[in-house]
Amino acid sequence: NFLTSIDPMWLSRPGDCDTLRSLDLSNNPFQNIAFYAPPPEDSPSPLSQATLEPCADTLEHVRLAAANISGEIPHATLALPRLLSLDLHANRIVGRIPRILASLPMIQSLRLDRNYN
């Protein structure tokens, strides 16, 4: 793939995520993608709660490795109660690992290695 942006409204309609269990957008050269919570108005395409919230009840696997993502991991983005695995390795994520990760009831795999500025 060669995706360079994410439309903030990409999964905003009811029913868009009814059967979505796995999301893998890895290895795309995203531009200006950052974690924000909440997203600033001038952000071109934030990856935020607004992006994943419609899928909160179905998403089990999220893989965004090597996707040129920067910033801190927002707590709201991780409010996915069915999440089994999260892979954010090889990005530019900084800051602390949110405590909410420890409270996700089903999490089995977490990959955050090779994150640097």
Side-chain angles (χ1 to χ4, degrees):
N1 295 332
F2 199 76
L3 301 174
T4 57
S5 65
I6 296 174
D7 181 344
M9 301 302 291
W10 70 300
L11 292 171
S12 61
R13 295 184 317 259
D16 282 349
C17 295
D18 285 352
T19 59
L20 184 64
R21 301 284 183 263
S22 185
L23 175 65
D24 187 343
L25 296 173
S26 299
N27 300 306
N28 282 290
F30 289 119
Q31 299 171 3
N32 300 317
I33 299 294
F35 282 128
Y36 298 101
E41 291 296 321
D42 61 346
S43 178
S45 50
L47 185 62
S48 66
Q49 182 180 13
T51 304
L52 298 178
E53 183 181 22
C55 305
D57 292 331
T58 61
L59 268 179
E60 296 174 352
H61 306 278
V62 175
R63 188 164 190 264
L64 297 166
N68 199 31
I69 297 171
S70 63
E72 294 185 7
I73 303 170
H75 295 41
T77 301
L78 300 175
L80 304 170
R82 295 179 53 107
L83 193 64
L84 297 172
S85 66
L86 176 64
D87 185 348
L88 298 172
H89 86 276
N91 283 294
R92 293 177 294 129
I93 297 170
V94 298
R96 295 180 179 214
I97 298 172
R99 288 184 186 197
I100 193 170
L101 281 175
S103 66
L104 291 173
M106 300 177 70
I107 194 80
Q108 297 174 4
S109 174
L110 174 63
R111 188 163 181 201
L112 298 173
D113 60 290
R114 296 189 324 168
N115 275 285
Y116 51 87
N117 264 339

